[in-house]
Amino acid sequence: MKFLHRSLVSLTGQATTPEDAIQEAGELLVSEGSVQQGYVDAMVRSFKKNGPYIVLAPQIAVPHARPEDGAHESSISLVRYENGVVFGHTSNDPVKLVFALGATSSEEHLELLKRLTTLLSKEANVVKLLNATSYEDIEQILGGTTI
């Protein structure tokens, strides 16, 4: 399981649409071999079909797909958008933190969500993620260790 490893974090997202933001966060998972491109495509299709349900809190989206869409290793990536991306959520836009979740099973999906929820449940951590200038800042939030 990879939880916000250095290679899975980008603080300089370039996307301006939700589809491109999901693609950008998913590409980090693909580049690590955690998921196939088909998994990322499934995340984008899910957003187009189901709308902004993945925007779980103000400024935070968690796109994901089903394990059978091509997940190889449970992982989570992060792309931060300085100006935010409008996902169409009535109260939580614009999204500045996109966490792409790739899980190989329902149990792993829940484990990743549990870890992410624990991290984001502290407002100070969200503020630090929004203002991080380097991966080292994120490591401090994670306690200096990643799984």
Side-chain angles (χ1 to χ4, degrees):
M1 182 180 291
K2 295 178 182 172
F3 188 83
L4 300 177
H5 284 193
R6 179 183 298 270
S7 59
L8 294 172
V9 174
S10 170
L11 299 176
T12 57
Q14 300 297 312
T16 57
T17 68
E19 294 86 354
D20 288 347
I22 294 167
Q23 182 72 34
E24 195 169 15
E27 285 175 4
L28 293 173
L29 297 176
V30 171
S31 67
E32 276 296 299
S34 298
V35 302
Q36 297 175 345
Q37 181 58 44
Y39 187 91
V40 178
D41 297 340
M43 289 194 298
V44 172
R45 279 194 310 274
S46 178
F47 172 76
K48 287 180 177 178
K49 179 180 177 184
N50 301 309
Y53 77 99
I54 58 174
V55 182
L56 303 180
Q59 306 184 79
I60 299 170
V62 185
H64 55 278
R66 302 175 61 85
E68 58 268 27
D69 291 320
H72 299 301
E73 181 178 10
S74 295
S75 304
I76 193 159
S77 67
L78 165 64
V79 178
R80 186 183 67 196
Y81 295 93
E82 188 74 26
N83 296 317
V85 175
V86 174
F87 274 63
H89 195 279
T90 56
S91 57
N92 293 335
D93 272 338
V95 170
K96 292 188 174 182
L97 301 172
V98 176
F99 296 90
L101 189 155
T104 58
S105 68
S106 296
E107 293 78 18
E108 296 272 325
H109 182 94
L110 291 175
E111 178 62 27
L112 285 171
L113 277 179
K114 179 181 171 185
R115 294 188 64 131
L116 186 60
T117 301
T118 299
L119 174 69
L120 299 176
S121 66
K122 296 179 182 174
E123 187 174 335
N125 286 344
V126 175
V127 171
K128 289 177 183 176
L129 288 169
L130 291 168
N131 296 315
T133 58
S134 67
Y135 183 77
E136 286 69 26
D137 292 341
I138 293 175
E139 274 186 319
Q140 289 179 349
I141 299 167
L142 298 173
T145 60
T146 55
I147 294 177

